[in-house]
Amino acid sequence: MDVFVSGVGVVSAIGFNVAENMQSLASGKAGLRKPQNFATTLNVPVGEICSTNQQLKQLLGLPQQQTISRTALLALPAVVEAVADAQLTNLSNVAFISATSVGGMDLTETFYNDFKDNHNQGRLRMVAQHDCGASTEFVANKLGFGGMVTTISTACSSGGNSIATGARLIKHGLADTVVVGGVDPLCRFTMNGFNSLKILDSEHCRPFDATRAGLNLGEGAGFIILQNEKALRRAPYCKVSGYANANDAFHQTGSSADGTGSFLSMSGAMQMAGVEASQISYINTHGTGTGGNDLSEGTAIRRIFGDNVPAFSSVKPFIGHTLGASEGIEAVYSVLSIAKGAVYPNLNFTTPMPETNLVPQTKYVSGQTIKHVLSNAFGFGGNDSSVLFSAVE
């Protein structure tokens, strides 16, 4: 059974909807800058959405006094946009699978600041939204999703695994329509955690460049609507033709230098779809800008494609690494790559890595014939996911 993509919605550092995101990608307008609203002592660029939580509540028509995690506040507008795009009106049987890496940590760490010095202080309602599933339940209840509701949390591969899980539900006849994707906010927990690993770049990240020095964190949400043919209310953008998850279990945080996990996930997605390497039009890489990830992913790309590597790029110099949201957001970009014939630029690239000599796409192009887009999302522990989007013939 084919799994079609009929709607997309996105919120990121380069735009609060699909149109704004696409305009920024086309014009090369990056969203990385020093934090404006997010409180951190680290002097590094981030992909921050400039709206405060109070502004997001006002925009979404939510009570100012209500305690809501930033995770939920970012997810809601992206889901609403995707639902409207797919022309869904009755959500009583629609399943919702969201992905996140930090859940309500933004509230928990605020609670802890008060609690650590005086255990009688702190608002417990903040801790109540700590669980990864809390933001999913909030959105589901707000919009009235009546089908299966669950949350995926597998670090930075979470969004990809959400898509794969939703596709399986449709393939096995367990759902007609599934909303899938991911969301993560900036928080001090992840900022300080990545800083302790010494992989935050003090400048704008440079994926696949020989001078790369680390990643920039970001925040946002991206969701797509998956449907079987009978549930479609509009012509689909494309279909999810393949997906795979692999775990090389090489290290708690690092990728294996030989790219075993990323090789298995990419080749597995292609095998499921019955698509040969020569048929791939574009690879939306994970491309974080760290020494280990880019070498591992680049090595796997060389292993699969040899000297005939298709156009590829990382969009993280635009939006930062959004953790569990990365494949949610980048799935939207991949879907629109097919729909608009677009390939996005890998900003800040100048010099190839000597180990692979790979040169990513550095200019935005559109009007291309894009039939198959391979989109990667790789997480801690070697949990690697790839999703293959294909044009509807």
Side-chain angles (χ1 to χ4, degrees):
M1 180 183 294
D2 285 336
V3 179
F4 297 97
V5 180
S6 59
V8 292
V10 65
V11 172
S12 79
I14 59 172
F16 206 76
N17 53 47
V18 168
E20 290 179 2
N21 274 261
M22 292 305 293
Q23 184 178 11
S24 295
L25 290 168
S27 63
K29 180 183 177 183
L32 301 178
R33 55 188 168 268
K34 296 298 172 65
Q36 297 179 10
N37 297 314
F38 173 63
T40 177
T41 59
L42 298 175
N43 187 30
V44 295
V46 294
E48 181 186 35
I49 294 168
C50 288
S51 299
T52 65
N53 286 3
Q54 289 70 31
Q55 290 169 331
L56 289 171
K57 287 179 184 179
Q58 183 177 6
L59 179 68
L60 297 168
L62 299 171
Q64 287 292 329
Q65 68 273 19
Q66 186 175 359
T67 301
I68 308 171
S69 70
R70 189 167 178 85
T71 312
L73 292 173
L74 295 178
L76 184 57
V79 174
V80 167
E81 183 180 27
V83 166
D85 190 31
Q87 300 177 12
L88 304 183
T89 53
N90 183 0
L91 304 181
S92 61
N93 292 316
V94 174
F96 181 42
I97 305 175
S98 186
T100 182
S101 190
V102 305
M105 180 61 76
D106 63 306
L107 292 178
T108 303
E109 60 191 19
T110 300
F111 164 84
Y112 181 70
N113 280 338
D114 296 328
F115 179 80
K116 66 181 179 181
D117 296 325
N118 183 342
H119 290 186
N120 293 317
Q121 298 296 315
R123 302 175 68 213
L124 287 175
R125 67 187 62 183
M126 289 185 172
V127 182
Q129 295 194 40
H130 175 83
D131 187 82
C132 287
S135 60
T136 307
E137 295 290 342
F138 175 86
V139 174
N141 292 335
K142 190 69 179 176
L143 298 182
F145 290 120
M148 172 183 172
V149 175
T150 193
T151 307
I152 303 289
S153 187
T154 55
C156 304
S157 61
S158 301
N161 289 332
S162 167
I163 295 168
T165 303
R168 289 189 187 100
L169 288 180
I170 291 176
K171 278 182 172 291
H172 291 284
L174 299 175
D176 295 332
T177 301
V178 189
V179 182
V180 294
V183 56
D184 260 328
L186 288 167
C187 67
R188 293 185 293 279
F189 172 77
T190 49
M191 286 288 290
N192 295 334
F194 277 89
N195 186 56
S196 71
L197 295 174
K198 301 186 185 302
I199 54 174
L200 289 182
D201 196 337
S202 60
E203 301 178 0
H204 287 190
C205 64
R206 302 171 297 285
F208 300 104
D209 196 277
T211 68
R212 67 195 185 282
L215 58 82
N216 307 131
L217 288 172
E219 64 180 356
F223 290 88
I224 63 176
I225 311 297
L226 304 182
Q227 294 188 288
N228 61 24
E229 187 172 14
K230 70 176 183 179
L232 291 172
R233 296 293 178 267
R234 51 154 293 175
Y237 288 104
C238 63
K239 60 183 180 180
V240 174
S241 58
Y243 45 84
N245 173 259
N247 195 325
D248 62 20
F250 173 76
H251 186 270
Q252 286 181 315
T253 61
S255 304
S256 60
D258 61 4
T260 298
S262 47
F263 169 81
L264 290 172
S265 67
M266 285 189 284
S267 57
M270 292 163 59
Q271 183 177 7
M272 175 184 282
V275 171
E276 302 292 333
S278 61
Q279 295 176 277
I280 300 296
S281 307
Y282 170 53
I283 308 171
N284 169 47
T285 64
H286 188 57
T288 60
T290 62
N293 174 87
D294 291 5
L295 176 59
S296 178
E297 187 172 15
T299 299
I301 288 172
R302 277 293 188 202
R303 184 175 172 185
I304 294 172
F305 296 97
D307 292 331
N308 299 307
V309 177
F312 74 94
S313 64
S314 169
V315 296
K316 289 179 175 62
F318 281 96
I319 61 174
H321 186 5
T322 57
L323 306 183
S326 60
E327 184 53 30
I329 295 171
E330 293 173 38
V332 173
Y333 296 166
S334 298
V335 167
L336 295 174
S337 172
I338 292 174
K340 297 180 178 295
V343 176
Y344 312 115
N346 194 117
L347 300 179
N348 309 324
F349 177 86
T350 57
T351 309
M353 300 183 296
E355 299 91 341
T356 62
N357 204 37
L358 289 171
V359 178
Q361 180 78 22
T362 58
K363 301 291 184 182
Y364 177 84
V365 296
S366 61
Q368 308 294 302
T369 300
I370 307 291
K371 291 189 175 182
H372 301 284
V373 174
L374 191 60
S375 191
N376 293 333
F378 304 148
F380 280 172
N383 192 303
D384 299 333
S385 292
S386 297
V387 180
L388 186 59
F389 298 94
S390 297
V392 178
E393 301 293 342

